[in-house]
Amino acid sequence: RRVHGDPIFNQLTPSERDTLQAALAAEESWLYSASAEAAGLGQLRGRLAELTTVYQSVVGQYEEEIRMRELKTKIDTLTVRLGTLLFEVQHWVDTHPLPTAAHQEATEHLQGLKEWMAGVGKARAREYTQEQLGELEGRWAALQTYQDGLVYQVSAAQKETVPPAEPLALPPAEPLPPVTTTNNVEVYEAICRRAKIKPNSALRTMFADPCLRKVDLQDNFVGPKGALAVVETIKSIPSVEELNLSGNNLDNTDIRSIVDHLSDHPNLHSIDLSNNPISVIAGQLLHQLVTHNKRLRALNLNGTLLMDSQMEAIARSLAN
């Protein structure tokens, strides 16, 4: 504890510091004695328990004070963030063309949340608790999901269409080999040059397989650009049946490129996009993909930010 700025050590009185120092010195002397060398496990545990009791009697009260101070800071900070998000969602509801029934439901929902926050403020004035923090975290996550749902409703009502993204969203620096080429390695290398990324040696070896059926990039850390280079290469490899892009930090923009390249793939039947930070817009795109490409039978979206209703709609389309 003798570290400058330590929040507990700086609060101890001289008497409390002396008590701790004496206890530590006594245990250190005993550890280097013949008694310690001959001590069994039970005796060692007993000495540790005694030292812990001394420590708790002196330091315990300060640790609780610091724990409560940290808890108060977390609750106050999250309360401000939740209040700010609530204001932003309310402003969005007031300025976007939601259907009348949906607008009324959203207004009532947000009003209920405001009243709940007022109650939390009164409870916080009496006591800060871990339960308060847990409920605030839950409300924060729920409001973010609710906001996504409102955006999705407006988007669906207006029947917005998402323009197809250019491959890798990068301008071509040189023409690609024709997709009819049988040399998939050359196709992959050309795409990487255009995207200004270094080809991956392991992927070169994989694409050399003329009967490639499964492409697994789970947690491969090639990055979004690297993953999209693989997707564009797969577009020209009709033998591929399974694609795993789990945990590659793909976002909604990346999903646009994936849908654009793979919507007409002749044999691809399984795609794993789990554990990527994709949300409502990606859900719309992927629903279009499974509706268009009836060869797809499996699409793993666990660990994403899609709404439950979108996951269910995609599952129904895959089942049909």
Side-chain angles (χ1 to χ4, degrees):
R1 290 287 182 189
R2 292 191 173 187
V3 178
H4 177 69
D6 184 280
I8 292 179
F9 182 79
N10 290 340
Q11 294 184 67
L12 297 180
T13 65
S15 175
E16 289 170 334
R17 294 180 187 180
D18 290 344
T19 299
L20 282 178
Q21 186 60 43
L24 291 170
E27 291 306 315
E28 186 175 15
S29 298
W30 181 81
L31 280 172
Y32 291 101
S33 68
S35 298
E37 292 181 4
L41 182 59
Q43 189 175 1
L44 289 170
R45 285 175 173 168
R47 302 286 300 206
L48 176 59
E50 291 175 6
L51 184 59
T52 301
T53 299
V54 173
Y55 176 84
Q56 288 297 336
S57 67
V58 174
V59 176
Q61 58 178 324
Y62 298 109
E63 288 188 326
E64 180 61 18
E65 288 178 11
I66 290 174
R67 188 190 71 80
M68 289 304 299
R69 194 181 308 147
E70 291 174 347
L71 179 63
K72 178 181 182 299
T73 299
K74 289 180 180 179
I75 289 176
D76 289 344
T77 301
L78 190 53
T79 299
V80 172
R81 290 177 63 195
L82 182 57
T84 302
L85 180 61
L86 181 57
F87 174 82
E88 292 173 354
V89 176
Q90 182 67 69
H91 177 72
W92 189 94
V93 168
D94 293 339
T95 56
H96 285 75
L98 278 169
T100 303
H103 186 280
Q104 180 65 28
E105 188 277 334
T107 300
E108 293 176 357
H109 179 84
L110 296 175
Q111 181 59 35
L113 184 54
K114 291 176 185 176
E115 294 172 358
W116 177 84
M117 287 190 66
V120 167
K122 293 178 181 178
R124 206 169 67 240
R126 297 190 299 270
E127 182 183 14
Y128 287 83
T129 66
Q130 194 67 40
E131 289 72 21
Q132 287 178 9
L133 178 61
E135 189 163 7
L136 277 168
E137 290 172 339
R139 297 274 183 163
W140 165 260
L143 184 55
Q144 288 182 307
T145 301
Y146 188 75
Q147 182 183 33
D148 275 350
L150 292 174
V151 174
Y152 178 67
Q153 285 188 58
V154 170
S155 177
Q158 295 178 341
K159 298 182 178 179
E160 294 178 343
T161 57
V162 182
E166 294 182 6
L168 295 177
L170 291 168
E174 61 178 83
L176 288 176
V179 295
T180 54
T181 179
T182 57
N183 193 330
N184 298 321
V185 176
E186 289 183 3
V187 174
Y188 170 64
E189 290 175 342
I191 292 170
C192 288
R193 285 196 298 273
R194 189 186 64 186
K196 298 180 181 179
I197 58 176
K198 183 179 179 180
N200 183 292
S201 58
L203 296 179
R204 276 201 193 100
T205 302
M206 178 182 68
F207 285 130
D209 181 357
C211 300
L212 182 64
R213 296 185 181 279
K214 182 175 182 179
V215 176
D216 189 349
L217 294 184
Q218 181 172 2
D219 300 321
N220 198 270
F221 306 112
V222 294
K225 285 186 179 180
L228 292 180
V230 170
V231 168
E232 189 169 354
T233 305
I234 290 173
K235 181 179 181 179
S236 63
I237 308 178
S239 63
V240 174
E241 298 177 349
E242 300 179 48
L243 172 61
N244 188 343
L245 294 173
S246 176
N248 272 277
N249 201 33
L250 302 177
D251 61 18
N252 292 343
T253 303
D254 301 324
I255 298 301
R256 291 182 180 182
S257 271
I258 291 172
V259 171
D260 182 52
H261 290 306
L262 301 182
S263 59
D264 293 313
H265 196 282
N267 289 303
L268 187 66
H269 62 73
S270 175
I271 302 177
D272 189 340
L273 295 172
S274 60
N275 301 313
N276 284 295
I278 57 177
S279 57
V280 172
I281 297 300
Q284 292 176 278
L285 292 163
L286 292 170
H287 188 258
Q288 294 172 13
L289 173 64
V290 299
T291 302
H292 176 76
N293 191 337
K294 295 299 183 181
R295 291 170 292 277
L296 279 171
R297 301 194 298 271
L299 180 58
N300 187 354
L301 298 170
N302 293 330
T304 65
L305 302 175
L306 270 68
M307 297 169 57
D308 290 343
S309 59
Q310 289 183 296
M311 303 270 275
E312 293 166 1
I314 290 171
R316 286 195 297 270
S317 294
L318 287 170
N320 292 333

